[in-house]
């Protein structure tokens, strides 16, 4: 990695659910439409991240917590018994990315900015990366089987520009920059919210010591990760591969040794 590692800090406490990030992502990356069917479960009509939805704003309706300070953007209208949690989800660009480990063609690679990108012209559609992702981000496009996901606008980064989603966000919920700087900014924001009477404010994916070595895209959440559909303790799904290969190698050597001994004993018997 020749450049400073960059990433996203998404502050969900100021997300208004406008989906400008989704539109900007689709427009810049020329992503095909993925249907506009309503789920009948939410005002959200894009449902989840996928091969043709690289940014997804989740709408979560829940009872308003009692005794907490109301946030002007997150807690809805005064007097309402419910609040809306909005969160713009995206590929996490993991420090230890299992999708890279399992890709047989090198289609997935780590860029000089520390991000993880799929080269669509090299992807052979094997789909190994799909179950390897601990966040369920990568998906194969049904039309041709190739895998797609957020590139963090790799072409824009190369031109010294910020990703389209961060550029379009009207509330600066999506912030882009050097990862270390974003982590410091996020910690200060959490302290600010705690002082304002929002004890549930917490960071997700910021810790370099977590199961994936920290994410290149991390979040400030107002509730537990599960509420947003995020795994509470993600791990690198390929973490046990070295041990598995070691055991498989030992088993193969044992089998070969057994076969060799059998042939040797059989040869003695014929003499």
């Amino acid at each position: 990695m020749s450049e400073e590692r960059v990433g996203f800090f998404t502050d969900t406490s100021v997300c208004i659910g406008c989906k400008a990030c989704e539109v900007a992502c689709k427009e810049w990356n020329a992503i095909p439409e993925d249907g506009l069917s309503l789920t009948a479960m939410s005002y959200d009509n894009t449902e989840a991240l996928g091969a043709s939805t690289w940014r997804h704003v989740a709408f979560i309706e829940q009872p308003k917590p009692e005794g907490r300070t109301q946030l002007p953007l997150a807690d809805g209208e005064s007097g309402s018994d419910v609040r809306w949690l909005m969160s713009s989800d995206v590929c996490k660009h993991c420090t230890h990315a299992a999708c890279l480990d399992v890709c047989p063609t090198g289609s997935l690679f780590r860029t000089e900015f520390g991000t993880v990108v799929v080269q669509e012209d090299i992807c052979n559609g094997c789909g190994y990366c799909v179950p390897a992702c601990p966040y369920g981000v990568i998906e194969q496009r049904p039309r041709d089987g190739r895998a797609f996901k957020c590139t963090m606008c790799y072409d824009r980064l190369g031109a010294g520009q910020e990703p389209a989603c961060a550029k379009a966000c009207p509330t600066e919920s999506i912030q882009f920059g050097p990862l270390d700087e974003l982590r410091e900014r996020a910690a200060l924001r959490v302290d600010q919210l705690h002082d304002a009477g929002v004890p549930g404010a917490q960071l997700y994916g910021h810790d370099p010591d977590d199961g994936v070595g920290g994410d290149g895209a991390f979040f400030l959440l107002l509730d537990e990760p599960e509420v947003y559909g995020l795994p509470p303790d993600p791990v690198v799904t390929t973490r046990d591969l070295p041990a598995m290969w070691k055991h498989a190698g030992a088993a193969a050597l044992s089998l070969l040794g057994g076969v060799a001994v059998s042939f040797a004993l059989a040869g003695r018997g014929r003499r």
Side-chain angles (χ1 to χ4, degrees):
M1 190 170 69
S2 58
E3 303 284 344
E4 186 176 22
R5 188 180 182 189
V6 296
F8 287 128
F9 162 46
T10 301
D11 181 352
T12 68
S13 70
V14 293
C15 178
I16 58 174
C18 67
K19 289 183 177 277
C21 53
E22 289 190 22
V23 175
C25 176
K26 274 187 173 291
E27 183 175 5
W28 181 262
N29 294 293
I31 303 172
E33 67 91 17
D34 49 358
L36 294 173
S37 58
L38 294 175
T39 64
M41 298 295 290
S42 166
Y43 292 110
D44 175 19
N45 61 355
T46 48
E47 301 184 27
L49 292 175
S52 299
T53 303
W54 299 356
R55 267 277 179 191
H56 171 250
V57 181
F59 291 2
I60 302 155
E61 184 180 8
Q62 64 175 196
K64 187 178 295 183
E66 296 181 358
R68 291 188 184 179
T69 300
Q70 285 193 5
L71 294 174
L73 295 178
D75 284 350
E77 296 180 3
S78 178
S80 173
D81 293 330
V82 300
R83 71 169 179 174
W84 286 93
L85 300 179
M86 313 290 187
S87 175
S88 181
D89 198 8
V90 70
C91 170
K92 313 304 181 293
H93 297 273
C94 307
T95 300
H96 304 305
C99 57
L100 290 176
D101 296 337
V102 301
C103 180
T105 65
S107 171
L108 280 151
F109 73 102
R110 177 86 58 188
T111 73
E112 64 271 34
F113 304 104
T115 57
V116 178
V117 171
V118 185
Q119 301 174 90
E120 58 186 72
D121 56 333
I122 297 178
C123 178
N124 66 357
C126 68
Y128 294 166
C129 55
V130 175
C133 176
Y135 297 101
V137 167
I138 308 179
E139 185 185 49
Q140 291 173 275
R141 192 165 288 162
R143 189 174 58 190
D144 58 20
R146 291 178 298 168
F148 292 88
K149 71 169 195 69
C150 162
T151 66
M152 207 178 282
C153 289
Y154 183 44
D155 52 346
R156 291 177 65 92
L157 298 191
Q161 298 178 315
E162 63 182 322
C165 56
K167 181 74 173 178
C169 182
T171 64
E172 297 186 350
S173 171
I174 301 172
Q175 301 179 32
F176 168 79
L179 205 51
D180 291 337
E181 182 181 319
L182 291 177
R183 286 171 176 156
E184 293 178 5
R185 195 183 306 170
L188 291 174
R189 176 61 177 160
V190 170
D191 291 341
Q192 183 185 29
L193 288 172
H194 287 174
D195 292 342
V198 188
Q202 58 183 293
L203 296 180
Y204 177 84
H206 68 297
D207 185 0
D209 295 324
D210 68 14
V212 296
D215 293 326
F218 64 98
F219 302 80
L220 187 155
L221 306 178
L222 298 178
D223 209 326
E224 297 303 316
E226 299 93 320
V227 172
Y228 296 85
L230 296 168
D233 298 303
V235 297
V236 183
T237 54
T238 53
R239 64 177 178 177
D240 296 326
L241 274 181
M244 291 171 63
W245 282 117
K246 185 177 179 181
H247 290 310
L253 288 175
S254 299
L255 180 62
L256 289 174
V259 170
V261 170
S262 298
F263 273 108
L265 292 177
R268 286 185 180 179
R270 285 195 292 269
R271 290 175 189 171

